[in-house]
Amino acid sequence: MGWGKTHGTQPSAGLTWAPDDLSAAAALGGAQLPAAGLLWWIYEATTQDDYGAGLGGALGVLCFLLFAPLLLPILGMVSAFALSLPSVVLARLAGRRFPGPGWVWHAVAPIIPALIWGVPAGVLFEWPLGTTVACLAALGLLPTLWVALVRRQAWRPAGVWWRAALGSVVLFVLAIGGGVLATETGLIQEYEPPKLTSAQLAGVWRGDSGAELRLRPDGSAEAVKLPTQPPFDDAHFRDYVRCQGSGTWEPDDDSDNTDRDGVLLKLDGDCGEDTHWSITGSEDSPELFVLFGDPDGGTLWKLGRAAAS
């Protein structure tokens, strides 16, 4: 049975769609989101620094799965209107005007809505344009093909939704296997913090709210409004204190038991305790960070290298 032969309620014109099309697009559009979200989380958890913050994004994934039955139909409807249904219309128009199998046009059509949404989103949020468009096209691909299949098979709405639910489970299992395989084979490169020499660590580092740390080559340091570990008798009440003054620093190859290079800062006086700053970022844009308080809900401070004046 060809892709051009359909049953059930059909749109009356090329630029419309039937209610059954909307139901099918929303069903699979929402059904694929748990797998897509899992792959995104695996990529982020593998390629980005978690700063030693406990479970990191895993808690968000668990919350999403908990409320998935309520959220997925709504998100699937948004996906249908933004990506799938425009792709279906474009595929049908192309199939009427150009030769070739119908499934080819349904597979290619999602690129157009992906470009329409992806280009402004990439510019507005400074996302990589190619990655943004590719992800949106991927999100529109399966639901677009699904709409064509549903029309061809003339499934009832209940049959569409339970098949989509079953497909969601299958996609989620495949995402687990694919994510594990990609990380184990190195297809997704695990994040590694840069290695900096003492000469590279020396310089001026700045953060939010006027925080500044000057590390001099001779081992002396100068701090301005810098967060530091609170005094021992104050640690139960505050995650950190803001200090300024002079002191010393030295490279630390196991900063605060994190198994990563960093800096041990010792300020004179009694404002705060010795503070370990770990290295993060990249070779081109290194940063120093420290997580104060509870790893699962503490306060993260980061310092970036100041531009040379």
Side-chain angles (χ1 to χ4, degrees):
M1 189 177 293
W3 282 76
K5 299 179 181 180
T6 59
H7 302 276
T9 305
Q10 298 189 34
S12 58
L15 294 178
T16 62
W17 50 75
D20 288 348
D21 295 338
L22 174 59
S23 177
L28 197 65
Q32 69 178 349
L33 292 181
L38 177 64
L39 289 175
W40 173 82
W41 177 75
I42 291 175
Y43 178 81
E44 288 290 312
T46 304
T47 62
Q48 304 297 318
D49 197 344
D50 63 2
Y51 304 105
L55 294 175
L59 186 59
V61 173
L62 293 176
C63 290
F64 176 80
L65 293 177
L66 180 63
F67 293 100
L70 297 176
L71 291 175
L72 292 182
I74 299 174
L75 296 176
M77 194 71 69
V78 173
S79 173
F81 280 112
L83 299 171
S84 307
L85 293 179
S87 300
V88 168
V89 171
L90 290 171
R92 288 172 180 163
L93 289 175
R96 293 176 182 179
R97 288 165 172 77
F98 304 102
W103 69 267
V104 172
W105 300 117
H106 282 80
V108 172
I111 297 175
I112 304 301
L115 285 170
I116 293 174
W117 292 105
V119 171
V123 173
L124 182 62
F125 298 105
E126 298 183 350
W127 294 340
L129 184 59
T131 302
T132 302
V133 172
C135 289
L136 290 176
L139 287 175
L141 174 61
L142 288 181
T144 301
L145 293 170
W146 177 254
V147 169
L149 178 62
V150 168
R151 288 180 56 78
R152 187 158 59 94
Q153 299 295 335
W155 290 326
R156 294 181 180 274
V160 171
W161 283 87
W162 77 254
R163 286 179 173 87
L166 180 61
S168 180
V169 175
V170 173
L171 288 174
F172 193 80
V173 172
L174 291 176
I176 294 176
V180 171
L181 182 62
T183 54
E184 291 296 325
T185 59
L187 184 62
I188 299 179
Q189 294 291 329
E190 184 176 359
Y191 171 79
E192 293 185 3
K195 300 288 187 180
L196 301 181
T197 65
S198 297
Q200 291 173 313
L201 287 169
V204 181
W205 303 81
R206 293 194 177 102
D208 295 336
S209 304
E212 180 177 295
L213 175 62
R214 293 179 178 269
L215 303 178
R216 298 188 177 91
D218 62 1
S220 62
E222 192 77 23
V224 177
K225 298 182 179 179
L226 188 73
T228 62
Q229 295 287 354
F232 292 119
D233 57 358
D234 197 21
H236 294 293
F237 303 98
R238 291 186 287 181
D239 288 344
Y240 63 91
V241 293
R242 301 284 291 275
C243 297
Q244 63 184 55
S246 59
T248 61
W249 71 278
E250 61 184 26
D252 182 13
D253 60 3
D254 187 15
S255 188
D256 206 19
N257 298 319
T258 58
D259 295 324
R260 62 196 300 166
D261 293 347
V263 170
L264 176 60
L265 177 66
K266 303 178 181 181
L267 294 180
D268 300 332
D270 56 0
C271 178
E273 301 296 331
D274 298 350
T275 304
H276 298 269
W277 290 86
S278 298
I279 298 173
T280 185
S282 62
E283 294 285 351
D284 297 330
S285 183
E287 294 178 319
L288 300 177
F289 82 90
V290 61
L291 182 63
F292 296 103
D294 187 348
D296 292 325
T299 303
L300 177 67
W301 273 87
K302 293 192 293 184
L303 303 176
R305 187 188 297 279
S309 57

